[in-house]
Amino acid sequence: MADETGKTSAAGTAAALLEDLHVSHEPDAPLGERTWYRVGGRAEVLARPSSVAQLSAVASRCHQQGVPMRVLGRGANLLVREAGVPGVVVDLSDPAFAQLKIEDETITAGAGYDLFKLVLAAARAGLGGLEVLAGIPGSVGGAVRMNAGGAYGDIGQSVRRVQVMSGSGQVYYRDRDDLDFGYRRTNIMAPVILEVEFELTREDPDELARRVKEIFFYKKSSQPMGARSAGCAFKNPPGTSAGRLIDEAGLKGYRIGGARVSEVHANFVVAEEGAKAEDIARLIEHVKEVVREQTGVELEREVVVWP
Ligand code: EPU
């Protein structure tokens, strides 16, 4: 955990754990800069496997030793608290985990592949289904894990098969029949998503490009897209919009330190110059409390907070 310099004092313990595995890793690695918030603490150790076999070795070692392992996507929906993250954080940005294959109406994408690049590649290939994700940042793995989406649809509706890895390093598939995608949730419990197969429909590439643009510009006009945020802070409660509840509670523009409730869309907590991860975490809690007091609605966080 962090001392007053922000360094994780246990650094080295988890690093030693990986020493004989010949997997690239960095003890006490800064994570904040790898998130869209660009603030936050460190990982006790950040591992960068360059093959499925290496990743499997890391997972099974962590499993055997009871060391927590977390997977880092593109940090688009993540807040890392100042105190840092114990154990191993796995970075799947190596090309081994970011391949893209297009074959007939099927696209297979590695978990580390960029979601926006996937949306564009599908549209260009004249394959429909993923254009509904235009403007959503993230990695393919992260997007599937939380069933990313919006008013136009979600990623789950196009997923045919997901290759995952268990905590002990075992690789296996989850097929559509046994996959369940709900509002911002899936029943995939395996700690690592490796690869996703999408079943798409043949459509006119120009029409798809038009829809990508339309959805992108809708988001751009209704959300603070350029700001440092993690997208919507809370899930929408059944039958209503978290953004509207926060707005009606008079919280637009409310700030704690360098964190502020966006004036553009009240469900976005944005980081400004000098923001600390703790400002963001405290503001998210404050919003939740005020909405609970004023409306009785218990908002559920959508942003993932580490640890
Ligand atoms: N509204 C307000 N004030 C606000 C924001 C919204 O009154 O500050 C009202 C709007 O006027 C509208 C209603 O709330 O009547 C819904 O707003 P919006 O259309 O912006 O949709 P949302 O439910 O707030 C959802 C997703 C977004 C997604 C958009 C568009 C959630 C939590 N949010 O937002 O997803 O981009 O639809 O498809 O499901 C995300 O998950 O990170 C995210 C940004």
Side-chain angles (χ1 to χ4, degrees), residues 117-197:
K117 274 166 64 186
L118 171 69
V119 168
L120 294 179
R124 239 180 265 126
L127 295 174
L130 296 173
E131 69 286 357
V132 299
L133 306 170
I136 300 179
S139 64
V140 167
V144 167
R145 168 77 64 199
M146 63 171 297
N147 193 18
Y152 301 87
D154 54 45
I155 197 166
Q157 64 201 32
S158 299
V159 172
R160 180 197 289 140
R161 199 158 82 129
V162 182
Q163 189 190 43
V164 297
M165 185 181 281
S166 71
S168 56
Q170 224 66 13
V171 176
Y172 61 100
Y173 285 93
R174 298 284 305 267
D175 289 306
R176 174 172 289 158
D177 306 349
D178 90 293
L179 285 173
D180 180 25
F181 289 96
Y183 170 65
R184 298 297 192 277
R185 58 160 288 279
T186 71
N187 61 348
I188 301 173
M189 295 303 154
V192 192
I193 290 176
L194 289 172
E195 198 175 77
V196 184
E197 212 175 282

Side-chain angles (χ1 to χ4, degrees), residues 27-55:
D28 202 27
L31 288 181
E33 60 205 44
R34 292 165 171 269
T35 70
W36 276 58
Y37 268 132
R38 297 206 298 274
V39 289
R42 294 163 174 270
E44 193 177 345
V45 59
L46 181 68
R48 290 191 202 86
S50 57
S51 67
V52 172
Q54 283 196 358
L55 173 60

Side-chain angles (χ1 to χ4, degrees), residues 149-152 183-184 218-219 222-223 230-232 234-236 241 243-244 247 252 264-268 302:
Y152 301 87
Y183 170 65
R184 298 297 192 277
Y218 167 73
K219 272 184 77 93
S222 59
Q223 299 177 5
C232 283
F234 298 98
K235 296 182 183 183
N236 283 337
S241 151
R244 179 181 296 145
D247 191 350
K252 266 190 174 170
V264 183
H265 193 301
N267 199 6
F268 283 67
E302 182 185 298

